[in-house]
Amino acid sequence: MTARLVGRRPHVEPEALIAALVPPPHFAKATFASYVPDPDFPSQEAAVAEVRAFAKGVGRRGLGALRRASGGRGIYLDGGFGVGKTHLLAALAHEVGRSAVFGTFVEYTHLVGALGFQSTRAALQDFSVVCIDEFELDDPGDTVLMARLMRELADAGVAIAATSNTLPGSLGQGRFAADDFKREIQALSHVFEVITIDGPDYRGRGDLAFPAPATVDQVLSACAGDDAACEDWGALMEDLTHVHPSRYGAYVEGVAVLGLRGVTPLPDQAQALRVVSLVDRLYDRDVRIIASGHSLGEIFSQDMLRGGFRKKYYRALSRLLAMVAGE
């Protein structure tokens, strides 16, 4: 019987939200050894060495070991899409082990929304290193919130590791993103060492060229398995308004194939940002997507792609293309 997403209302205990802060299945086997640097971009090999050294300096708090050199310090991996920043961040988390937490910027902001600031800080300060993937500067309120959280964690001796992106058209200009990051986090910027990783998107998808949409029959055929879900696009968009984004991971749990019928462009930014969060959780789980209607490459309007949240939308498109292509 085909699974359903619409109507799911997962209940996740606070302890489970913290326990879920681990590298996602897509990066479950990421190690420093499995990162393959591009010889044309020496910064990639240098980044591996620097992140590995940082990992060795992170103490195992709560496990009886003394805090070591990286406690209260930070690294910021700066570069474009597809240069392996998340791979290295996940490798760092795996190297440190159960004294590390790993989540996206959005997941941490959603965590604060679900638990409150003080409870989130109290839970995270028991770890040796907090890994923040896809640090975003497009929402001033969230940026201030996360800067405060990082500052208080660093003051408590927790190491911080973060990544962020330049836009696809700005590859090789990562230093500008780094300057933005350090300016926005202000008082905390002195604890961060910037590690710039150059190179093109390893997937070779700079043009984000999506295949033609599937037919409805093709969608239904692909969703015949027990681990598949088939949803009407409009119904799914409406259902997402009833599920807190911190629970989107549980919302899509157990789904390996997602069929979408009648895809249409998104009418407003609130809906678009919910889709970005959903796409991230689907990508984490290597879900394959097959869709009819409009191309998934057309769901974000040109105004959205030029606006303040454009990095979120470009990341979502890059990940959607990977899932549609079945990579």
Side-chain angles (χ1 to χ4, degrees), residues 210-270:
F210 279 74
T215 65
V216 172
D217 286 344
Q218 288 172 326
V219 172
L220 295 174
S221 176
C223 294
D226 292 341
D227 59 355
C230 189
E231 303 293 351
D232 176 78
W233 177 257
L236 179 61
M237 294 303 99
E238 196 280 331
D239 201 55
L240 290 179
T241 66
H242 303 289
V243 182
H244 192 278
S246 67
R247 293 169 170 79
Y248 281 4
Y251 185 74
V252 301
E253 196 63 43
V255 174
V257 177
L258 176 59
L260 298 170
R261 302 188 304 270
V263 170
T264 59
L266 297 165
D268 61 70
Q269 195 133 262

Side-chain angles (χ1 to χ4, degrees), residues 78 166 169-178 196 198:
D78 179 52
T166 57
S170 303
L171 298 178
Q173 299 177 25
R175 61 186 178 275
F176 297 119
T196 300
D198 299 308

Side-chain angles (χ1 to χ4, degrees), residues 305-316:
L305 294 177
R306 288 191 295 265
F309 294 108
R310 59 192 181 278
K311 288 187 181 181
K312 290 178 184 278
Y313 300 141
Y314 276 112
R315 183 184 75 239

Side-chain angles (χ1 to χ4, degrees), residues 18 108-125 132 141-156 188:
I18 299 296
Y108 287 112
T109 58
H110 290 162
L111 185 68
V112 173
L115 304 185
F117 183 89
Q118 299 298 339
S119 295
T120 300
R121 183 197 61 190
L124 295 181
Q125 70 183 19
I132 306 171
D142 284 347
T143 300
V144 170
L145 173 74
M146 287 300 293
R148 179 189 170 194
L149 180 62
M150 289 191 301
R151 183 178 66 252
E152 296 191 13
L153 290 173
D155 288 345
L188 188 64

Side-chain angles (χ1 to χ4, degrees), residues 1-322:
M1 180 179 178
T2 301
R4 293 297 308 276
L5 295 184
V6 170
R8 289 187 178 186
R9 298 294 180 266
H11 175 73
V12 184
E13 296 292 341
E15 296 80 6
L17 290 173
I18 299 296
L21 292 174
V22 296
H26 189 78
F27 295 100
K29 297 182 179 179
T31 66
F32 295 122
S34 63
Y35 181 95
V36 181
D38 187 330
D40 292 332
F41 296 92
S43 63
Q44 295 188 10
E45 185 172 359
V48 175
E50 291 181 80
V51 180
R52 191 195 295 266
F54 186 82
K56 289 180 179 178
V58 172
R60 273 64 172 174
R61 302 181 69 196
L63 301 180
L66 294 175
R67 192 180 309 156
R68 290 187 280 163
S70 295
R73 304 297 298 173
I75 54 173
Y76 171 80
L77 306 182
D78 179 52
F81 292 98
V83 295
K85 301 184 304 301
T86 300
H87 182 119
L88 289 177
L89 194 68
L92 166 62
H94 287 311
E95 184 79 8
V96 174
R98 61 190 180 94
S99 192
V101 284
F102 179 106
T104 64
F105 178 94
V106 171
E107 285 179 300
Y108 287 112
T109 58
H110 290 162
L111 185 68
V112 173
L115 304 185
F117 183 89
Q118 299 298 339
S119 295
T120 300
R121 183 197 61 190
L124 295 181
Q125 70 183 19
D126 288 335
F127 292 89
S128 295
V129 61
V130 171
C131 300
I132 306 171
D133 197 27
E134 308 287 2
F135 197 98
E136 298 172 353
L137 301 172
D138 42 29
D139 186 307
D142 284 347
T143 300
V144 170
L145 173 74
M146 287 300 293
R148 179 189 170 194
L149 180 62
M150 289 191 301
R151 183 178 66 252
E152 296 191 13
L153 290 173
D155 288 345
V158 180
I160 309 290
T163 76
S164 189
N165 278 321
T166 57
L167 287 171
S170 303
L171 298 178
Q173 299 177 25
R175 61 186 178 275
F176 297 119
D179 289 345
D180 290 343
F181 173 81
K182 297 193 79 171
R183 182 181 65 251
E184 293 296 332
I185 64 173
Q186 297 175 12
L188 188 64
S189 64
H190 68 281
V191 310
F192 277 91
E193 172 194 358
V194 175
I195 300 173
T196 300
I197 307 176
D198 299 308
D201 187 338
Y202 78 94
R203 307 175 191 92
R205 296 202 313 271
D207 58 356
L208 293 174
F210 279 74
T215 65
V216 172
D217 286 344
Q218 288 172 326
V219 172
L220 295 174
S221 176
C223 294
D226 292 341
D227 59 355
C230 189
E231 303 293 351
D232 176 78
W233 177 257
L236 179 61
M237 294 303 99
E238 196 280 331
D239 201 55
L240 290 179
T241 66
H242 303 289
V243 182
H244 192 278
S246 67
R247 293 169 170 79
Y248 281 4
Y251 185 74
V252 301
E253 196 63 43
V255 174
V257 177
L258 176 59
L260 298 170
R261 302 188 304 270
V263 170
T264 59
L266 297 165
D268 61 70
Q269 195 133 262
Q271 197 172 71
L273 293 174
R274 285 192 289 269
V275 169
V276 169
S277 294
L278 180 68
V279 167
D280 286 341
R281 302 293 76 78
L282 293 169
Y283 182 79
D284 286 346
R285 289 157 176 76
D286 292 321
V287 175
R288 177 175 170 250
I289 294 177
I290 181 167
S292 68
H294 286 255
S295 168
L296 288 169
E298 299 172 351
I299 60 174
F300 303 118
S301 71
Q302 289 304 307
D303 284 344
M304 291 177 185
L305 294 177
R306 288 191 295 265
F309 294 108
R310 59 192 181 278
K311 288 187 181 181
K312 290 178 184 278
Y313 300 141
Y314 276 112
R315 183 184 75 239
L317 289 174
S318 179
R319 291 182 166 187
L320 278 169
L321 183 53

